[in-house]
């Protein structure tokens, strides 16, 4: 191994970090919004609406993310005639996929809230939507924050897949450097170190958050 051969390319590879975080953060925010909507569809007392929510989750959890990304970037233009940029395709695929996983996290969090909260709200005549927004969801989010952090960690690792459609993230830049210098091990290993470091930092922050939540609950 000779890392001196990629010293001059290290800044170029590091420029992929903001791109990666843009994909992860934007996808996570959209995914949380979608997750709330889909989780609500799953718990409302209507079989058709329940089916729509569960079908969405089943499709995006039951197929590989790389396949979803490929269909959106390469397949949809054939059907719609609209061509998305690699970055747009990545955001759409990751947001839809993340929304499916987050919807299950949120659904579990909502159902973990004491039923007495629902009953008390009903007794006070609070509308269903307001119950969710003002009473149930704030309690549910406190319980599911560690799980949401884990989803962020998963998104961070999976974000390397955006390189397959040409997004200039860490992975793609490492591949470009490898092609230009005819050496792949060193730039790819360096990219691996970057991903590992970011994931370890996020894991540490997630553990700190979980401990703080336990203390606030008196556990």
């Amino acid at each position: 191994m000779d890392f001196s051969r990629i010293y001059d390319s290290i800044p170029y590879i590091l420029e992929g970090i903001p791109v990666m975080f843009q994909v992860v953060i934007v996808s996570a925010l959209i995914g949380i919004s979608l997750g709330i909507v889909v989780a609500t569809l799953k718990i409302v007392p209507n079989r058709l609406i329940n089916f729509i929510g569960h079908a969405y989750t089943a499709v995006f959890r039951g197929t590989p993310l790389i396949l979803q990304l490929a269909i959106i970037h390469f397949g949809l233009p054939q059907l719609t005639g609209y061509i998305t940029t690699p970055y747009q395709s990545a955001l759409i695929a990751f947001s839809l996929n993340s929304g499916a996983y987050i919807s299950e996290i949120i659904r579990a969090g909502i159902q973990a809230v004491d039923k007495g909260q629902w009953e008390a709200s009903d007794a006070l005549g609070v509308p269903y939507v307001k119950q969710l927004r003002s009473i149930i969801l704030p309690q549910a989010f406190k319980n599911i924050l560690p799980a949401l952090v884990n989803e962020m960690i998963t998104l961070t690792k999976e974000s390397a897949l955006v390189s397959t459609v040409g997004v200039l993230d860490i992975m793609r830049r490492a591949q470009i450097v490898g092609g230009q210098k005819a050496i792949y091990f060193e730039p790819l290993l360096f990219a691996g170190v970057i991903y590992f470091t970011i994931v370890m930092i996020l894991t540490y922050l997630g553990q700190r958050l979980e401990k703080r939540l336990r203390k606030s609950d008196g556990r």
Side-chain angles (χ1 to χ4, degrees):
M1 288 188 296
D2 185 8
F3 284 95
S4 64
R5 295 178 63 186
I6 66 165
Y7 281 167
D8 59 334
S9 301
I10 287 178
Y12 176 74
I13 297 175
L14 291 176
E15 287 174 8
I17 295 177
V19 177
M20 180 206 69
F21 274 120
Q22 284 176 14
V23 173
V24 171
I25 293 173
V26 174
S27 298
L29 291 175
I30 298 175
I32 289 173
S33 301
L34 278 173
I36 293 173
V37 174
V38 177
T40 303
L41 296 180
K42 294 177 183 179
I43 63 174
V44 296
N46 184 295
R47 288 186 179 182
L48 176 59
I49 294 177
N50 288 165
F51 173 78
I52 294 172
H54 286 292
Y56 168 85
T57 302
V59 169
F60 284 96
R61 292 184 68 185
T63 56
L65 176 54
I66 191 169
L67 174 62
Q68 297 163 18
L69 179 58
I71 288 175
I72 289 170
H73 187 66
F74 300 110
L76 285 185
Q78 177 183 335
L79 297 177
T80 64
Y82 179 75
I83 299 175
T84 56
T85 65
Y87 182 74
Q88 290 171 337
S89 299
L91 287 184
I92 294 170
F94 274 73
S95 298
L96 291 173
N97 183 273
S98 181
Y101 282 92
I102 291 176
S103 72
E104 280 295 288
I105 295 172
I106 295 175
R107 180 192 60 79
I110 290 174
Q111 293 181 336
V113 175
D114 190 345
K115 290 183 178 180
Q117 300 287 336
W118 291 99
E119 294 169 355
S121 301
D122 287 334
L124 293 171
V126 181
Y128 182 80
V129 174
K130 191 172 183 179
Q131 287 181 33
L132 276 175
R133 185 181 68 248
S134 304
I135 300 172
I136 305 301
L137 281 177
Q139 296 180 64
F141 267 107
K142 184 177 181 181
N143 296 328
I144 65 175
L145 271 176
L148 290 177
V149 173
N150 287 334
E151 175 62 16
M152 283 284 292
I153 293 171
T154 300
L155 273 176
T156 301
K157 291 185 292 184
E158 291 182 338
S159 69
L161 293 176
V162 303
S163 63
T164 61
V165 295
V167 176
L168 289 173
D169 68 329
I170 301 167
M171 185 69 174
R172 181 60 179 160
R173 289 170 183 267
Q175 291 171 337
I176 290 173
V177 171
Q180 290 175 341
K181 297 181 179 291
I183 53 168
Y184 284 93
F185 189 81
E186 289 87 345
L188 290 177
L189 183 59
F190 181 67
V193 170
I194 296 173
Y195 282 112
F196 180 79
T197 302
I198 293 172
V199 167
M200 288 300 101
I201 292 173
L202 291 176
T203 301
Y204 172 74
L205 294 175
Q207 291 172 345
R208 289 291 301 271
L209 176 61
E210 191 170 355
K211 287 180 181 178
R212 181 168 295 184
L213 290 174
R214 286 178 179 175
K215 287 182 180 179
S216 67
D217 290 336
R219 289 182 286 179

